[in-house]
Amino acid sequence: MSTAAIPGAPLPVRTPGSRARGRHRRPERPEIPAGSPALLLAVPAAAGPESRSVVEELLSIVRSEQNGVLTAAGYLPTGGADGRQTGGTTAERTVAELLTEAAGAGLPTPVVVPLVPGPHGFLPELHALAAEYGAQVTDTLGPHPLLAEAVHVRLSEAGLARADRARLFAIATAADGVVLTTVGGQPAADAAGITGMLLAARLAVPVVAAALDIPGSVAEAVAHLKEMGAHNPALAPLVIGPEADAELLAAAAEESGCPSAAPLGAYQAVGQLVASTYLAALPAVAPDFGADEAEGADGTDLRGNGRHAAQ
């Protein structure tokens, strides 16, 4: 009997529901502490139709995975005279603009999550910019088993791999070797090699990594696979999308003569990885709790006493 039905009883207190049991239960989502900083997704590209659609969908996944987290996306500037992004809407701000606005409004400094699976040329500049505001930049999203899963799914969607090894059906176009392509030079290719090992374990075929932005790297990797006995190698982009020029991907497939899977894009696991990367950074960030409050358009409490509050 509920205490609400007893005359004179105190107001009822909500009790948590029983946790699902069993080894396959979904892990409980951690609570976002009140006053925690926002998640600022740093996109290594200027805002445009293609990058915007991927980013918006990923942020939607993050919010569905973790209710209550404040999210924003910061793009690279498009080269305006004052260094600010031009031609975009108010929702398409640069990382610098968003950090400046948070500091000016007295908000907790956002946690910056780079939208890249590994080393990339924009990271040094991003770290330098974040240091000016005392903002924390998390690690890149990879290497990680979820990225290997995402690449596997994209290969299966292109008919280049089985959906999983448990389904023993034949695919005439299945690749017997995979070149994991990425951008960011040799450091990115080296880091991709770890995800490549995880992918090789899933596919039971050899996987080698190559950098799209190093001339001859993809061709050399394809030749290496053929020397190992692969007759039908395929390309698998370890890129989310905004960080890689689409022309590089197309040129690599054409020059190598190999079929290619699609970039990872807004795959569900990528959004989950963004959310978990942000959550892992929270213990290292001390949330500020301010007496003043400000509400966003959706009624969310945004106000805090950030260390970069306007003087």
Side-chain angles (χ1 to χ4, degrees), residues 38-88:
L39 186 164
L40 174 51
L41 193 62
V43 185
E50 294 183 2
S51 61
R52 189 185 309 117
S53 63
V54 171
V55 169
E56 289 178 351
E57 190 168 349
L58 284 174
L59 289 181
S60 177
I61 294 171
V62 170
R63 289 189 292 268
S64 67
E65 285 292 313
Q66 194 62 59
N67 293 330
V69 62
L70 298 176
T71 63
Y75 296 85
L76 294 183
T78 56
D82 57 357
R84 293 168 62 91
Q85 180 166 305
T86 58

Side-chain angles (χ1 to χ4, degrees), residues 199-231:
L199 181 64
R202 298 177 66 97
L203 300 178
V205 301
V207 177
V208 295
L212 291 162
D213 47 354
I214 296 181
S217 179
V218 174
E220 182 179 344
V222 171
H224 180 61
L225 284 176
K226 290 184 176 179
E227 290 175 0
M228 297 174 63
H231 299 287

Side-chain angles (χ1 to χ4, degrees), residues 152-175:
H152 185 177
V153 169
R154 293 298 185 234
L155 283 167
S156 67
E157 290 173 346
L160 299 172
R162 296 182 178 88
D164 60 62
R165 285 186 290 173
R167 301 176 183 175
L168 301 179
F169 56 86
I171 300 179
T173 58

